[in-house]
Amino acid sequence: MTGRIGFIGPGKMGRPMIGRLQAAGHDVVVWARRAEQRAELYEAGVQTGDLRDVFTCPVVVSSLLDSDAIDGVFFDSGIDLRRTDTALVIEHATIAPEDSVRVAGTLAEAGIRYLDAPVSGGPQGAADGSLVTMIGGSEESLAAARSVLSAYCRRIVHVGENGAGVALKLVNQLLVAVHSVAAAEAGALLRANSIDPSVAVEALMGGWAASRRLELQLVDTINGDYAPDGASVGSFLPILSLVRDALTSARVTSSLLTGVEQTWSTAAARDPAAAFSALITAYDTAYPDSTILRNHDE
């Protein structure tokens, strides 16, 4: 089933999602905060409008940055949500579970159902339609959203009620952070031993060391290719703060996160826009006494 969909947040993830929705036959109305974004969308043949136009759509998909952005759009924009035509909001932002529950409750007072639906797979996954989404909300809301989500998500997993989707996403992000740093540290050791990264990937991906981050990151890490690819070391730092808050709230003492945060922060200080492959640059400064490191700038 196709229909009219409002979309908020046409950023690095949102733009390919919009393209997939259009390709699936949906009539998409997009709100963009910045004039240059609106101009780019217009040139690409995408219909844009103000927030009131978006909230004439029965379903609104939102891909905002954080809970402050969500509050600003949904609750502080001057729109009376009780007088809109929107019945369901699907939010892809990674936020704290308690914020998701709060947003869901406030929207429910206006008669609007809400799904927290964080995704994993990056901009390329959105473009390919291969994202995985972790859903927090009711079965009924998910049933209404499934035809929308399936345009760009290959795997749709219902985790539980509101807040459960983002809770699982924070576990996902903990693993992404740890695996990415492990790949960077492995890259430093491989580079010091002059081992061909392609050979290393072929061997390591065949056994217990295999991980998606190792596969995606290791060759670029060793070759010094840190070109932005849609996900940057700097943009991940706020996510790590959410992960730490989740661990603290659950009274789980992490033996990994402090070192992981140090590596991310050091790499981000060098080049916040760089890809995750740039995490290896942290080993030149974060651990200056290590004998396995070589200055990449030499």
Side-chain angles (χ1 to χ4, degrees):
M1 180 181 69
T2 59
R4 196 160 181 264
I5 297 169
F7 200 101
I8 298 170
K12 291 177 181 178
M13 291 295 293
R15 284 292 295 273
M17 288 177 177
I18 293 165
R20 296 284 305 189
L21 287 167
Q22 289 182 310
H26 295 284
D27 180 15
V28 185
V29 182
V30 181
W31 177 77
R33 188 184 304 275
R34 300 194 303 273
E36 61 268 27
Q37 281 185 314
R38 294 192 294 272
E40 290 172 3
L41 290 164
Y42 177 80
E43 290 295 325
V46 177
Q47 180 182 354
T48 62
D50 60 25
L51 280 176
R52 286 178 175 80
D53 295 324
V54 167
F55 285 114
T56 63
C57 301
V59 177
V60 171
V61 178
S62 174
S63 184
L64 291 168
L65 180 64
D66 53 28
S67 58
D68 287 341
I70 292 171
D71 287 346
V73 169
F74 288 96
F75 308 133
D76 300 329
S77 61
I79 293 177
D80 186 351
L81 294 173
R82 296 168 297 179
R83 298 180 180 275
T84 69
D85 297 319
T86 300
L88 173 65
V89 169
I90 303 167
E91 178 56 66
H92 291 310
T94 299
I95 60 176
E98 57 269 24
D99 284 333
S100 179
V101 172
R102 174 182 58 80
V103 170
T106 305
L107 289 175
E109 293 174 1
I112 300 173
R113 293 178 293 179
Y114 175 81
L115 292 175
D116 49 271
V119 294
S120 184
Q124 189 59 53
D128 295 341
S130 61
L131 295 174
V132 57
T133 181
M134 296 150 256
I135 302 293
S138 69
E139 291 277 6
E140 294 78 13
S141 297
L142 176 55
R146 193 172 288 276
S147 66
V148 175
L149 293 168
S150 61
Y152 47 84
C153 295
R154 184 172 297 165
R155 187 176 302 179
I156 301 169
V157 180
H158 187 213
V159 185
E161 294 303 313
N162 289 127
V166 287
L168 181 55
K169 177 62 185 297
L170 292 177
V171 175
N172 179 91
Q173 299 302 70
L174 170 63
L175 292 168
V176 168
V178 171
H179 291 172
S180 297
V181 170
E185 193 159 305
L189 183 56
L190 290 166
R191 191 176 64 184
N193 284 282
S194 300
I195 296 174
D196 186 315
S198 298
V199 172
V201 168
E202 181 181 2
L204 296 173
M205 289 301 296
W208 284 6
S211 76
R212 183 64 172 150
R213 286 310 314 163
L214 185 72
E215 182 180 26
L216 291 173
Q217 184 180 321
L218 187 62
V219 172
D220 287 347
T221 287
I222 297 175
N223 288 340
D225 182 359
Y226 313 143
D229 59 1
S232 67
V233 288
S235 66
F236 206 78
L237 292 176
I239 300 297
L240 287 175
S241 295
L242 290 175
V243 170
R244 178 167 288 284
D245 289 345
L247 288 164
T248 300
S249 178
R251 298 183 180 180
V252 175
T253 302
S254 175
S255 60
L256 298 171
L257 191 57
T258 297
V260 166
E261 287 175 316
Q262 179 186 14
T263 303
W264 280 90
S265 296
T266 303
R270 285 191 160 196
D271 185 356
F276 289 6
S277 54
L279 288 168
I280 194 173
T281 64
Y283 287 82
D284 300 330
T285 55
Y287 307 98
D289 296 328
S290 175
T291 58
I292 70 169
L293 304 180
R294 185 179 74 189
N295 190 336
H296 179 71
D297 296 327
E298 290 180 350

